[in-house]
Amino acid sequence: MATLRAIFAHPSGRIGGAIVALYLLLAVLGMLGLTPHNPLTQHRVERLHAPDGTYWMGTDLFGRDVASRLMTGIGQSFIVAFFSVAFATLAGTVLGLAAAWFGRRWDGLVMRIMDVVLAFPAILLALLIVAVAGPGTSTSVIAIAIVYTPIFTRVVRGPALSLKAREFVDAARTFGSSAGYIVTRHLLLNLVAPLTVQVTLALAWALLTEAGLSFLGLGTQPPAASLGLMLSDSRNLMETAPWLMIFPGVAIMISILGFNLLGDALRDVLDPKMRRSIA
Amino acid sequence: MRRLATFPLVLLGVSIVVFLAIRMVPGDSITAMLGTEAGLLTPQQRDALAAYFGIDQPWFIQYWRWLLGLFQGNLGISSTYGRPVLDVILERFPLTLELALLSMVIALVVGMPAGIFAATHNEKLSDLGVRVVAMIGQSTPNFVLALLIIYTLSAGFGVLPAMGEFSPLWQDPRRNLGQLLLPAVTLGFAFAASVTRISRSAMLDVLCDDYVRTARSKGVSARGVIWRHALPNALIPVVTLSGIEFGYLLGGAVIVEQIFALPGLGRMVLDAILQRDYALVQGSVLFIAFNFMIVNLLVDLAYVALDPRIRLSEH
């Protein structure tokens, strides 16, 4: 509760929180089908219709309503972002904790594997994974999760190592607490703050990558709507129908801005010391 | 030094991952190379082609051969270009390098003064302005920015970015810079935003330090404090961030190259993956990972050189 209040007292937290909440609402409405029009229906007579009272953001080349497609597209992007970051957080936390707890060879092995993954530029690795598994929503989730796992592993391993050496862990051991109890109770609980910050920033990055992959035609497949795909389709119609580019473009930008602002606020609130090293 | 020892190990890991991954892509490279004409091949011709590209052997023999070739500077023959992989890569690399350098110059020239300005005007309206712009810059995907720039130029000024055949710097410098300016601005924008944010926070940190207070109380002018005492130390995180970003850019900017029709490394790798050009994917990913790791190593060394308090063994 105190944390929530602190985030709302933080100017970027307020703005970022409001943006994220608004997008969540749009995403849920889009997923429930509560859009102004059916996002897939082609109003052939009204192709490339400029924005007006009926079509708030105009229509595309096939006469589909841009506002409705934008809402389902946001839903699509958010699903990919949430699932990929959830997988990356889970995998990274387990690997990072294991590396820190078991130490030695296990630590060396895990961290070297993570070095290999980190040596690939992120977008290239994602492209390679998509090429292997074939384009689509679930592949995007897997690709983004794999790319982001090493970062979570590092975020967890470092602090976990120093926590492991602290007195309260020794004390817990002397009391006969099991390893599982110590790792979840004493290590994991103390890692919640840095993990929350990282998750928020990772969500911003996942939205960006999802949009990039679908822009290249390797993410969400047509006729389903996705922000990157809409933007890519708008390229040849830029002069006749600029709304096709401007709305999805700005929508992507603001969604990322929202998570970045929220992440900044969380970092200030949860861990004032971290501001120095990561900012 | 320990980092240097794991260097070849990590590269070996990267090469194995790429080698296996690209072979898991559905479809075979000969069909991808010849398209519909692949159907006209007799089985003998197909086998001969496979033998020519060395893809008729089991993967571990292919890998061993490739590794042996690597030590002789031979990365194999690209099936799409029909030329040695290294030649194809080195032909694309100057553009990528130039683009990365230009973007970095733009980022530093814009970002550092903006960050220092914001730090020295802390909590004033101008500081807030810089921070808002930097936050927006950091949140704008480069492909959105690229399209917005192209749209603004064409709708507002009736100008289109210089596309068409790409001219290398040494052949036609003016045309070359004309072609690279917009992509560099696109990539430099978000980069500049990060530089602004990090130089602002580094400068703020340093300005609160004891030695700056000492310098002030000795009567050093405000300008002198900033330039002589604070700036050198505030530079450290800026160097780290710029180095890492530069390393990423050396891997090619797939989407921006695509939008501006530039023949850089990023697009080449994307096409190579889609064409199942095994040798080219292997060679270029290794090349990119190698550059990336070298840049990161240099950044670490610069870090130690700039800040004598840090010893790498602590990490």
Side-chain angles (χ1 to χ4, degrees):
Chain A
M1 241 16 247
T3 322
L4 266 184
R5 218 172 299 137
I7 291 168
F8 276 104
H10 197 291
S12 353
R14 251 199 317 261
I15 303 172
I19 294 176
V20 171
L22 175 71
Y23 270 83
L24 278 177
L25 181 71
L26 288 176
V28 170
L29 288 178
M31 279 186 276
L32 293 176
L34 297 170
T35 49
H37 299 267
N38 183 327
L40 295 177
T41 306
Q42 305 186 353
H43 308 270
R44 298 269 171 131
V45 197
E46 294 168 301
R47 288 167 30 166
L48 297 181
H49 196 285
D52 66 5
T54 329
Y55 303 107
W56 302 339
M57 297 183 179
T59 62
D60 66 5
L61 188 59
F62 302 100
R64 296 175 298 196
D65 178 40
V66 173
S68 310
R69 292 182 68 73
L70 200 75
M71 284 171 72
T72 42
I74 290 172
Q76 182 71 27
S77 305
F78 270 50
I79 287 179
V80 172
F82 280 121
F83 277 101
S84 56
V85 172
F87 285 138
T89 312
L90 188 69
T93 308
V94 170
L95 286 171
L97 280 177
W101 187 256
F102 296 112
R104 295 190 190 205
R105 259 188 234 160
W106 180 246
D107 186 25
L109 180 71
V110 170
M111 295 324 283
R112 286 302 82 70
I113 293 175
M114 294 303 135
D115 281 348
V116 169
V117 180
L118 277 175
F120 286 90
I123 189 83
L124 257 189
L125 183 59
L127 286 176
L128 200 62
I129 296 169
V130 172
V132 172
T137 308
S138 44
T139 315
S140 305
V141 171
I142 298 168
I144 298 174
I146 292 180
V147 171
Y148 228 87
T149 298
I151 297 176
F152 278 102
T153 311
R154 285 200 171 173
V155 165
V156 166
R157 177 193 169 255
L161 267 181
S162 60
L163 283 170
K164 189 183 152 192
R166 295 271 289 276
E167 292 90 350
F168 59 81
V169 172
D170 283 338
R173 272 204 189 119
T174 355
F175 289 144
S177 305
S178 70
Y181 183 85
I182 297 176
V183 170
T184 48
R185 247 318 146 83
H186 295 294
L187 301 192
L188 196 55
L189 270 186
N190 279 308
L191 290 167
V192 169
L195 270 176
T196 314
V197 175
Q198 196 60 42
V199 162
T200 321
L201 296 175
L203 282 170
W205 188 85
L207 284 172
L208 180 76
T209 314
E210 193 276 333
L213 284 175
S214 27
F215 186 86
L216 289 172
L218 298 169
T220 310
Q221 294 298 300
S226 99
L227 299 179
L229 207 57
M230 289 170 79
L231 205 57
S232 164
D233 288 343
S234 78
R235 282 161 66 188
N236 298 323
L237 298 163
M238 211 182 262
E239 302 215 15
T240 39
W243 59 87
L244 289 181
M245 177 198 81
I246 291 172
F247 290 117
V250 171
I252 296 175
M253 204 181 100
I254 295 180
S255 66
I256 297 171
L257 182 68
F259 280 106
N260 274 336
L261 285 171
L262 195 61
D264 260 22
L266 277 169
R267 182 155 60 206
D268 287 352
V269 170
L270 290 176
D271 196 354
K273 274 179 295 179
M274 267 174 67
R275 208 168 10 178
R276 293 174 73 104
S277 54
I278 305 186
Chain B
M1 279 305 108
R2 237 194 72 233
R3 297 261 323 251
L4 212 55
T6 58
F7 204 93
L9 214 66
V10 172
L11 277 180
L12 199 71
V14 169
S15 72
I16 295 178
V17 171
V18 181
F19 203 89
L20 291 179
I22 188 68
R23 276 165 180 70
M24 277 154 62
V25 176
D28 71 303
S29 61
I30 290 173
T31 312
M33 174 174 57
L34 296 177
T36 45
E37 289 172 32
L40 303 173
L41 286 178
T42 62
Q44 286 83 1
Q45 284 172 321
R46 188 176 269 275
D47 291 346
L49 264 180
Y52 177 70
F53 289 111
I55 47 179
D56 54 337
Q57 306 284 328
W59 74 267
F60 47 88
I61 295 183
Q62 286 184 42
Y63 183 73
W64 180 243
R65 279 187 182 174
W66 181 76
L67 208 59
L68 283 183
L70 187 65
F71 285 109
Q72 296 157 6
N74 172 12
L75 289 171
I77 306 254
S78 152
S79 61
T80 22
Y81 295 85
R83 292 172 30 217
V85 166
L86 197 61
D87 291 2
V88 179
I89 294 176
L90 291 180
E91 200 177 276
R92 299 292 189 111
F93 187 58
L95 187 157
T96 295
L97 180 66
E98 193 190 339
L99 190 57
L101 282 173
L102 273 179
S103 317
M104 187 162 73
V105 169
I106 292 174
L108 291 177
V109 168
V110 176
M112 284 203 12
I116 295 169
F117 174 83
T120 47
H121 294 73
N122 192 18
E123 302 300 326
K124 286 193 188 137
L125 204 61
S126 45
D127 171 39
L128 186 71
V130 170
R131 280 160 64 193
V132 168
V133 173
M135 193 71 201
I136 293 175
Q138 230 182 7
S139 306
T140 311
N142 52 33
F143 47 94
V144 173
L145 185 64
L147 293 182
L148 283 175
I149 290 180
I150 294 178
Y151 173 67
T152 318
L153 283 182
S154 69
F157 304 92
V159 214
L160 279 174
M163 301 249 189
E165 188 85 0
F166 177 74
S167 2
L169 184 63
W170 55 89
Q171 275 174 17
D172 188 349
R174 264 195 64 190
R175 193 174 140 77
N176 169 279
L177 286 178
Q179 284 172 323
L180 285 187
L181 184 67
L182 289 181
V185 169
T186 304
L187 292 171
F189 189 63
F191 194 167
S194 321
V195 170
T196 305
R197 280 165 60 86
I198 203 146
S199 44
R200 174 181 174 273
S201 70
M203 198 72 185
L204 276 180
D205 271 355
V206 172
L207 286 178
C208 300
D209 273 350
D210 292 340
Y211 68 93
V212 170
R213 207 178 329 139
T214 314
R216 278 212 180 108
S217 55
K218 277 196 317 194
V220 179
S221 67
R223 210 168 261 270
V225 168
I226 291 169
W227 288 104
R228 290 245 304 284
H229 294 269
L231 194 61
N233 286 306
L235 268 180
I236 299 169
V238 179
V239 168
T240 314
L241 174 99
S242 313
I244 293 172
E245 292 269 343
F246 181 70
Y248 274 120
L249 287 179
L250 277 189
V254 187
I255 304 178
V256 171
E257 284 171 17
Q258 184 101 341
I259 294 176
F260 289 100
L262 290 174
L265 267 189
R267 252 178 89 203
M268 185 198 74
V269 180
L270 177 65
D271 291 342
I273 293 176
L274 298 177
Q275 290 288 324
R276 290 150 192 92
D277 188 338
Y278 295 160
L280 190 54
V281 174
Q282 283 152 214
S284 47
V285 172
L286 193 73
F287 181 78
I288 291 169
F290 180 75
N291 285 338
F292 187 58
M293 288 169 66
I294 291 276
V295 171
N296 278 322
L297 195 73
L298 290 178
V299 168
D300 281 351
L301 292 179
Y303 203 72
V304 181
L306 284 172
D307 190 347
R309 286 172 302 188
I310 298 160
R311 291 282 166 264
L312 275 183
S313 56
E314 283 170 10
H315 286 267

